[in-house]
Amino acid sequence: MRRKSSPASIQVRIDNLRIENTGPDSAEARFNQRYAAGNYSDRTNKTLRLQRESQGWRITREISN
């Protein structure tokens, strides 16, 4: 799919952020995301799985419900 043009502005809002340690070097972040750009908008429940590495935290998986 090809985008015709870039939106003038993008707005992302995160609500109900919950972070849980799932191991000594891993965590899971769950939140509700609101996204709006141009004439498009949506609400999504997201889960990010994170792994701690030497340079910091890295997202290893993103799940949208």
Side-chain angles (χ1 to χ4, degrees):
M1 180 193 288
R2 181 177 252 178
R3 186 185 306 175
K4 291 184 178 180
S5 64
S6 296
S9 69
I10 296 173
Q11 297 177 340
V12 178
R13 179 177 168 172
I14 294 174
D15 295 310
N16 302 319
L17 175 62
R18 298 169 310 281
I19 300 173
E20 177 185 348
N21 289 329
T22 56
D25 293 315
S26 61
E28 198 167 84
R30 295 178 186 196
F31 55 91
N32 307 109
Q33 176 182 288
R34 293 182 188 192
Y35 174 92
N39 294 328
Y40 177 79
S41 67
D42 71 10
R43 293 181 184 190
T44 307
N45 295 322
K46 289 213 172 183
T47 301
L48 301 180
R49 293 193 179 150
L50 304 131
Q51 184 70 39
R52 186 190 329 246
E53 298 183 345
S54 61
Q55 298 297 317
W57 289 92
R58 180 174 66 94
I59 298 170
T60 59
R61 184 163 187 201
E62 178 178 339
I63 303 165
S64 297
N65 310 11

